[in-house]
């Protein structure tokens, strides 16, 4: 989870590979109207997001029902959005990728062919609600290389797994 430009796709695909888990990009699950709205520079409303979040949740549930733990990218900026995702069968652990707003903006400006314009970064940062203590998850800084970020995410996820085992 995290705002646009935080590296969700890069890190999630590497995590999925390292863990041997199925992967999905939640951006690909947006209905065309949502994509068009964001591409036009208009932030989504909760009304826009809820059906999309339900689709992501249902994908996670389908994976769990097939006996798979999975990795999915999703901004999941607000607690209420994460609550929808946490309804998925099998449980959800969040990896919150966070970084300096200037780094995020630079990354967004450098990428090509993405529907999310850099102008919406401020809106996402203003919307972001950090993970709360009762939410399973870890907070991972994005100021390293992708391999360093993945290693830190795996280290922190291992700590969460040990807490659950106790």
């Amino acid at each position: 989870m995290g705002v646009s430009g935080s590296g969700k796709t890069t890190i999630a695909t590497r995590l999925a590979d390292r863990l041997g888990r199925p992967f999905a990009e939640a951006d690909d699950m947006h209905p065309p109207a949502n994509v068009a709205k964001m591409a036009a520079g208009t932030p989504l409303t909760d009304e826009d997001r809820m059906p999309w979040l339900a689709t992501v949740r249902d994908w996670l549930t389908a994976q769990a029902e097939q006996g798979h733990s999975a990795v999915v990218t999703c901004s999941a900026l607000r607690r209420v959005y994460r609550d929808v995702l946490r309804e998925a069968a099998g449980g959800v652990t969040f990896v919150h990728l966070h970084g300096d707003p200037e780094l995020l903006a630079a990354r967004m400006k450098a990428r090509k062919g993405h529907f999310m314009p850099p102008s919406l970064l401020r809106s996402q940062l203003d919307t972001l609600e950090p993970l709360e203590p009762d939410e399973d998850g870890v907070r991972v800084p994005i100021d390293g290389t992708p391999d360093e970020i993945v290693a830190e995410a795996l280290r922190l996820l291992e700590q969460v797994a040990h807490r659950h085992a106790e």
Side-chain angles (χ1 to χ4, degrees):
M1 66 169 273
V3 299
S4 190
S6 61
K8 292 183 298 291
T9 301
T10 298
I11 302 308
T13 55
R14 290 176 185 220
L15 279 173
D17 287 345
R18 289 277 301 274
L19 297 169
R21 295 182 178 173
F23 166 77
E25 172 66 63
D27 282 347
D28 295 341
M29 298 180 199
H30 271 295
N34 283 9
V35 173
K37 197 171 186 178
M38 289 183 283
T42 304
L44 297 179
T45 65
D46 285 354
E47 187 175 298
D48 297 324
R49 285 185 184 96
M50 288 306 169
W52 166 66
L53 290 164
T55 299
V56 177
R57 176 203 60 213
D58 294 348
W59 182 84
L60 287 167
T61 293
Q63 295 303 309
E65 288 173 349
Q66 295 173 29
H68 305 295
S69 291
V71 176
V72 65
T73 61
C74 184
S75 52
L77 299 178
R78 294 185 55 221
R79 167 85 187 226
V80 67
Y81 308 157
R82 295 188 299 269
D83 288 345
V84 172
L85 299 174
R86 291 186 319 152
E87 293 171 356
V92 175
T93 302
F94 297 96
V95 174
H96 176 192
L97 300 174
H98 72 94
D100 181 75
E102 289 77 28
L103 173 61
L104 295 163
R107 286 180 172 191
M108 289 180 76
K109 288 175 187 167
R111 64 185 181 186
K112 306 285 185 247
H114 196 279
F115 62 80
M116 178 68 81
S119 61
L120 289 183
L121 177 59
R122 175 52 38 207
S123 169
Q124 287 202 328
L125 290 168
D126 291 345
T127 301
L128 178 63
E129 296 173 358
L131 290 171
E132 295 182 28
D134 65 327
E135 294 181 279
D136 276 343
V138 297
R139 192 167 187 252
V140 180
I142 61 165
D143 53 359
T145 67
D147 286 339
E148 291 168 341
I149 296 166
V150 168
E152 180 65 1
L154 290 169
R155 185 185 72 76
L156 293 170
L157 288 168
E158 185 67 26
Q159 291 177 356
V160 170
H162 282 295
R163 283 196 302 265
H164 287 296
E166 294 174 350

